[in-house]
Amino acid sequence: MALAYMTGFNNEFETEALPGALPEGRNSPQKCVYGLYAEQFSGTAFTAPNATNARSWLYRMRPSVRHVRHFTSVDRPLWNSAPAVYEDAPLGQFRWNPIPLPEDTTTFIAGMRTITTAGSVLSQAGMAAHIYVANSDMTNDYFFNADGEMLLVPEMGRLRVITELGILEMEPLEICVLPRGMMFRVELMDGKARGYICENYGPRLTLPERGPIGANGLANPRDFQYPVAAYEEKETPCRIETKWGGKFYVTEIEHSPLDVVAWHGNYAPYKYDLRHYNTIGSISFDHPDPSIFTVLTAPTGEPGTANIDLAIFPPRWLVAEDTFRPPWYHRNIMSEFMGLIQGQYDAKEEGFVPGGISLHNMMLPHGPDTFGFEKASNATLAPQKLDDTMAFMFETRLPQLVTEFAAHHDSLQKNYINCWDGLEKKFNGTIEGKK
């Protein structure tokens, strides 16, 4: 049976799994019904402005102080946090083939593989980009990330993400965001899964300003889905792991921590179907800046400059006249981690496959490969539909440092730089060919 969801980005929601579990007209009554405990879960400072203030009130079987005991440290060497400075990391443009699925039993958390880090987890600025590969459910294992929110982008296999505030089911071409500090576990609906994760250390992801586009277009608020209340009443040994300050700790309790019977507020997990993105583009000439493809953004103190942007390159029509239609060659201050969910990417039709990765760091030049350049330069400029495609980009103002795992992994395409070798000098001092 299909799950029910509530809709509307950053709305104020209220939901209860048992009738009357939500207090009326107050947040913290002297005694909650059903013997529940009231607890506030804050994602921002108490005094943050109304437009950015994020908190939810939870009504649960046990307060969360009962969901942790003494912590002991654990090691996750393949999940790195910024600054993860690998001294011998090479500089350049990079591309990787898909990371293979594991042969050993591997859960969602155990299957995390960090590719890049940026900024500093302790100063709460920057991000990390990961691949997850998994073939086993988290049954009695739970996780919460105190370092940042987690943006999940599945490429293979459906996920059931069971959180304190309810359940989200997602498939490739959907994304979800798990707030900082929220407990969850992940089940694999197809037995195996692979995808991408952006771990955002900075301010929460939000919708970009549309500017002259106006009130509609891009990712519309009504298409974001939030879970309804659902709880686990499970009295069995459970293991809770947390990531805190770039390190990992585990604690053991005798019950499930996902015991929230009702909640209200605006600090909650959500999902979004990328197929609902209302693409904006040029209908006259020139390829627009990639900022028109922004789904979500995490701002910095500098207006218009993001800690993180999530941009996508979905199916769309190309109609621009007298225009080189793929992305132009460029250098910029942003660092671009790109992945492919399905199909082909129009600027790199060869060598960049679903599950693959490319990295073009700040001020390093990049653009269409030789094949893409020649094809676009000589194409008949009739209306063209780019179909069966979905690429995305985690973009940040900060340099993305390649991890030791990524620098030495067999999936690294050591000859990627050669994709531009055929771009020979064509200049001959004449204006022949000018239209």
Side-chain angles (χ1 to χ4, degrees):
M1 188 174 70
L3 292 175
Y5 295 101
M6 303 176 289
T7 60
F9 187 81
N10 205 32
N11 277 0
E12 288 281 338
F13 298 103
E14 61 175 37
T15 173
E16 55 189 15
L18 294 176
L22 278 174
E24 292 187 15
R26 67 195 68 240
N27 295 320
S28 185
Q30 185 179 27
K31 289 186 177 181
C32 296
V33 299
Y34 295 109
L36 298 173
Y37 291 84
E39 178 176 287
Q40 186 173 212
F41 183 33
S42 296
T44 57
F46 295 135
T47 52
N50 288 342
T52 57
N53 203 300
R55 58 84 186 92
S56 288
W57 277 92
L58 318 182
Y59 301 90
R60 59 194 318 157
M61 299 176 194
R62 297 176 175 91
S64 58
V65 291
R66 289 296 313 279
H67 297 328
V68 295
R69 305 302 294 166
H70 292 292
F71 285 102
T72 57
S73 63
V74 293
D75 192 23
R76 292 220 175 270
L78 298 182
W79 187 341
N80 303 147
S81 294
V85 180
Y86 169 49
E87 297 295 343
D88 296 324
L91 177 65
Q93 302 93 329
F94 300 108
R95 189 165 68 191
W96 290 263
N97 294 322
I99 303 297
L101 293 171
E103 296 181 0
D104 297 335
T105 299
T106 305
T107 65
F108 175 82
I109 295 300
M112 209 71 66
R113 312 285 186 256
T114 306
I115 307 299
T116 69
T117 67
S120 170
V121 69
L122 294 179
S123 62
Q124 297 189 359
M127 56 161 281
H130 316 284
I131 294 290
Y132 68 84
V133 286
N135 57 20
S136 180
D137 293 342
M138 297 169 66
T139 303
N140 293 315
D141 289 339
Y142 300 82
F143 185 83
F144 71 95
N145 191 336
D147 288 340
E149 64 182 348
M150 296 171 66
L151 166 62
L152 279 58
V153 184
E155 177 265 327
M156 175 194 298
R158 295 171 299 158
L159 302 179
R160 180 181 291 114
V161 184
I162 304 159
T163 78
E164 290 180 85
L165 302 194
I167 302 171
L168 297 168
E169 289 183 352
M170 54 185 305
E171 63 184 13
L173 299 179
E174 293 181 314
I175 62 171
C176 86
V177 173
L178 301 174
R180 182 195 300 260
M182 177 152 293
M183 292 191 187
F184 67 91
R185 64 183 181 89
V186 177
E187 295 177 349
L188 312 181
M189 300 175 69
D190 299 314
K192 59 183 179 181
R194 180 175 62 205
Y196 309 85
I197 291 181
C198 183
E199 185 182 2
N200 173 25
Y201 308 143
R204 294 190 308 143
L205 289 161
T206 188
L207 297 179
E209 299 294 342
R210 293 189 181 95
I213 293 173
N216 307 289
L218 309 182
N220 286 303
R222 67 186 293 256
D223 294 320
F224 288 81
Q225 298 181 304
Y226 290 73
V228 298
Y231 61 88
E232 289 183 343
E233 191 173 7
K234 185 167 65 175
E235 305 293 325
T236 57
C238 293
R239 182 176 180 271
I240 299 174
E241 186 173 337
T242 183
K243 179 174 184 288
W244 196 100
K247 298 180 180 180
F248 296 86
Y249 303 87
V250 67
T251 185
E252 295 184 0
I253 59 176
E254 296 299 319
H255 51 266
S256 169
L258 308 185
D259 63 356
V260 176
V261 177
W263 64 272
H264 76 85
N266 65 349
Y267 193 55
Y270 56 87
K271 76 169 189 171
Y272 173 74
D273 190 329
L274 299 176
R275 290 162 290 201
H276 291 161
Y277 189 80
N278 184 200
T279 309
I280 306 296
S282 171
I283 56 172
S284 55
F285 60 87
D286 281 353
H287 185 291
D289 290 342
S291 50
I292 62 167
F293 298 111
T294 304
V295 179
L296 293 166
T297 186
T300 65
E302 182 179 349
T305 303
N307 182 63
I308 296 169
D309 283 331
L310 169 66
I312 64 170
F313 305 98
R316 60 199 184 276
W317 280 96
L318 303 179
V319 300
E321 299 178 324
D322 188 22
T323 292
F324 182 79
R325 288 177 175 176
W328 13 257
Y329 296 101
H330 63 289
R331 296 173 292 161
N332 63 359
I333 66 168
M334 305 298 280
S335 299
E336 303 171 3
F337 174 104
M338 181 171 280
L340 185 62
I341 302 170
Q342 73 171 26
Q344 294 179 322
Y345 177 57
D346 61 323
K348 299 282 193 341
E349 294 186 22
E350 299 179 351
F352 188 41
V353 299
I357 308 161
S358 69
L359 176 66
H360 300 121
N361 248 315
M362 62 176 191
M363 289 305 173
L364 294 182
H366 52 286
D369 58 20
T370 303
F371 175 81
F373 174 81
E374 295 296 340
K375 180 180 178 180
S377 297
N378 297 288
T380 301
L381 293 181
Q384 175 192 6
K385 179 68 179 293
L386 290 183
D387 218 342
D388 186 33
T389 183
M390 185 65 77
F392 73 90
M393 190 160 62
F394 300 150
E395 186 178 66
T396 177
R397 172 63 180 86
L398 302 168
Q400 295 192 46
L401 305 180
V402 176
T403 63
E404 184 174 2
F405 167 84
H408 292 290
H409 199 273
D410 291 341
S411 64
L412 178 64
Q413 298 179 9
K414 296 181 173 58
N415 62 348
Y416 171 50
I417 193 74
N418 297 343
C419 76
W420 295 292
D421 283 355
L423 297 171
E424 302 292 347
K425 177 180 177 182
K426 298 178 182 291
F427 176 77
N428 62 12
T430 73
I431 59 171
E432 63 183 37
K434 180 178 175 61
K435 297 183 179 180

